[in-house]
Amino acid sequence: MITVTLPDGSAKEVEHGAPVKAVAEAISPRLAEAALVAYVDDQLVDLTYPLTRDAAIRIVTSKNPEALEVYRHSTAHLLAAAVTALFPKVQCGIGPPIEDGFYYDFIVERPFVPEDLEAIEARMREIAARDYVYERQMWPRQEAIDFFAGRGEPLKVQLIEEKTAGQKEVSVYTIKDRDVFVDFCVGPHVPTSGRLKAFKLTATSNAYWKGDASNAPMQRVYGTAFFSQKQLDEHLARIEEAKKRDHRKLGRELDLFQLHQVSPGAVFWTPRGTTLYNTLVAFCQSRQKADFQEIKTPLLYSKTLWEQSGHWGKYRDNMFLVMNNETNEHDMSLKPMNCPSHHLYYATARRSYRELPLRLVTFDVLHRNELSGALSGLTRVRQFAQDDCHVYLRQDQIASEVKFLMDFILGHYEAFGLASSIKFATRPETRIGDDAMWDRAEAALRSALEATGKPYAIKEGDGAFYGPKIDFDVTDSLGRAWQLGTIQLDYAAPERFDLNYVGEDNAEHRAVVIHRAVCGSLERFIAILIEHFAGAFPLWLAPVQAIVLPIADRHADYAREAARVLDAAGLRAEVDERKEKVNYKIREAQLQKIPYMLVVGDREAAERAVAVRSRAKGDLGPRPLDQFVTDALAEVRAKALS
């Protein structure tokens, strides 16, 4: 007999070699029925995993967060089983779970069409209904290589050779048996195909083996899966809503920005889009006016600066290099970030401890050489700006400064109705500085984070190459998470740039640097806001806040006068003088998502009034023009979201 310890600290005895499922059965029949996989100590395994030593056991059901990834991985295998049944000559690639579902890559004779997806999904449901067993088998390595080679699947052979070098056996999974489906995989998987009920294939795309365009072209099939049909339906509804809110679609319909092939990855902002952009920048500047100092720095630097900062060796492939006519070499670069230029500015003067913390902020344009295939609307561009800040401070100021910056960042997101969560990212594999420096930096930043009392999660190995960081993820109105703000502690830059201050003891001390961003890329943040608000921006942010709609030509003079009054008060207003019926103009204004429509006719002109119609609330009735101005300005000052 062996002893297993359960999460509540209790212990049970089972026979040596008993499967994990026996533990679930010993606890309760209901748990055994709900079980999907389990942890044996720290290893996630199938329910058939044999217990051969004393261990801590935790049964995983659909209520546990890690279960969904296993469920989706098993659904990816179900997809592959259906594809191989319908297209016998197919070659299978890989099929991992991803954030919102799963995919599987295939080499096929022709691209998949929508009718193929329907047939594949139907076959998936047939296989699921048969409740076939997912079975892990350990095969001799050479037997596995020979088996997949004999089936005409060289990609699987390549994976086995690469991933199992030195192993005598390899792990494969069958669905029922190797004739229905078999895949090289370490698992784990759900017990049977009958557990897979709520799934949907969503799209296909072109792909390449291992993401390399020089390798074989493949067809990628995307899908998603949930534990209930209700969850699946809600997810699909969110996808449809996301399509309606796509910032590329709304940006065109609302005349906010344009993209052109002559300048890939750079944005042409229209007058309305420029107003939106400038309003966001002005909001950021107003919040930073009291505690930050805004500066502007050059856009072009020689490689000397980037070598000093460490970017030339670590980041050069992502930089736009510029030919130097004096050296005939590409030894200059447009700046991809503001950090080194801020360090240069700090070092131009002798700094006193009384100046610290010194917060420098810049909204300069930046350039990063993203791959053309990765460019996407405003969310992935080559030219952009950041609300980029660097704080120069003393070691003993780290905790108070982190709290100040966290409150500042979280307050920014709250202004837009964006919920947020916090993550602590530790040292990456590729980094500068020795372990002692990283130990000190991680300990200092983690201590400062914990002192705030805010909950956070750990992102192992996701720090910047020069230091650990605190990342802020925001959740929009569709429940989607976006990584935005960051606080990064940097001990490397002060060493590289000799950044010092004169302390109370009149001696020089090494400064500490904190990198801070709130919006991140302003372009990307605007894309998020477009989709978060579905283009219906709150009044203070809307490019056009009110539009005056004259009923007839004789009301045009008063309409223009009303617009001038609004403009003089600081409200952004337009007049629609087209020879169209007023109801048509109202519909057009609604489609343009303008917050207020002000209809003017004989009565309004005579009484210096406007008939107010709200984008959200409909007809609000007539009111004096001055009263509307007063009310609208109060709404703007309050930064009201609705």
Side-chain angles (χ1 to χ4, degrees), residues 74-85:
S74 298
T75 312
H77 276 228
L78 184 67
L79 161 63
V83 170
T84 54

Side-chain angles (χ1 to χ4, degrees), residues 189-320:
H189 285 284
V190 299
T192 69
S193 63
R195 296 293 189 97
L196 309 174
K197 300 183 184 299
F199 52 81
K200 178 72 178 176
L201 300 184
T202 55
T204 62
S205 71
N206 296 324
Y208 294 97
W209 177 237
K210 296 186 175 180
D212 186 341
S214 64
N215 287 337
M218 308 187 80
Q219 280 281 289
R220 176 168 295 177
V221 180
Y222 288 97
T224 191
F226 289 87
F227 288 116
S228 73
Q229 189 63 40
K230 180 183 177 183
Q231 291 172 321
L232 175 60
D233 291 342
E234 289 172 349
H235 174 76
L236 296 176
R238 284 195 298 270
I239 290 177
E240 289 305 311
E241 182 62 26
K243 290 179 182 177
K244 296 176 187 176
R245 293 172 179 242
D246 189 315
H247 74 278
R248 293 164 296 187
K249 172 178 176 289
L250 289 176
R252 181 177 61 253
E253 294 174 355
L254 302 181
D255 191 26
L256 297 176
F257 65 89
Q258 300 170 2
L259 299 167
H260 289 282
Q261 292 181 344
V262 296
S263 186
V267 184
F268 288 77
W269 294 100
T270 67
R272 288 187 176 184
T274 300
T275 298
L276 173 64
Y277 187 100
N278 289 341
T279 302
L280 176 61
V281 171
F283 174 69
C284 296
Q285 289 172 322
S286 68
R287 296 188 72 236
Q288 296 179 146
K289 186 175 182 180
D291 300 302
F292 298 77
Q293 298 182 40
E294 183 175 344
I295 64 173
K296 295 186 71 63
T297 62
L299 303 183
L300 183 67
Y301 297 88
S302 72
K303 73 174 183 180
T304 304
L305 176 68
W306 307 115
E307 287 174 334
Q308 185 177 2
S309 68
H311 289 96
W312 194 256
K314 305 284 184 182
Y315 202 77
R316 183 171 46 187
D317 290 344
N318 297 95
M319 297 163 69
F320 278 102

Side-chain angles (χ1 to χ4, degrees), residues 361-475:
V361 64
T362 291
F363 293 89
D364 289 344
V365 66
L366 303 172
H367 291 84
R368 294 182 185 175
N369 193 11
E370 303 283 358
L371 296 174
S372 59
L375 301 177
S376 178
L378 301 180
T379 58
R380 197 71 176 267
V381 291
R382 288 173 171 165
Q383 177 182 295
F384 60 98
Q386 290 183 320
D387 56 339
D388 210 359
C389 171
H390 294 89
V391 185
Y392 302 86
L393 67 161
R394 307 189 308 265
Q395 177 73 26
D396 64 295
Q397 293 175 317
I398 291 175
S400 60
E401 186 64 16
V402 167
K403 184 181 188 309
F404 168 80
L405 294 175
M406 285 185 64
D407 290 342
F408 185 92
I409 292 171
L410 295 173
H412 181 88
Y413 302 146
E414 289 170 4
F416 298 95
L418 294 165
S420 54
S421 60
I422 301 169
K423 294 181 172 63
F424 180 72
T426 61
R427 69 193 74 184
E429 287 189 15
T430 302
R431 57 185 183 267
I432 59 176
D434 58 23
D435 286 343
M437 184 203 77
W438 277 90
D439 290 342
R440 191 160 60 101
E442 287 181 349
L445 189 59
R446 188 193 293 262
S447 175
L449 174 56
E450 291 178 348
T452 68
K454 304 284 188 185
Y456 67 92
I458 299 291
K459 290 169 70 175
E460 294 288 354
D462 203 44
F465 74 86
Y466 49 75
K469 60 178 180 169
I470 300 169
D471 283 337
F472 297 81
D473 290 358
V474 303
T475 303

Side-chain angles (χ1 to χ4, degrees), residues 533-565:
F533 291 115
F537 300 108
L539 182 66
W540 72 272
L541 191 59
V544 179
Q545 295 170 318
I547 187 164
V548 187
L549 309 176
I551 293 175
D553 288 348
R554 64 181 182 274
H555 307 126
D557 287 343
Y558 175 64
R560 288 191 289 270
E561 179 187 349
R564 284 194 294 271
V565 170

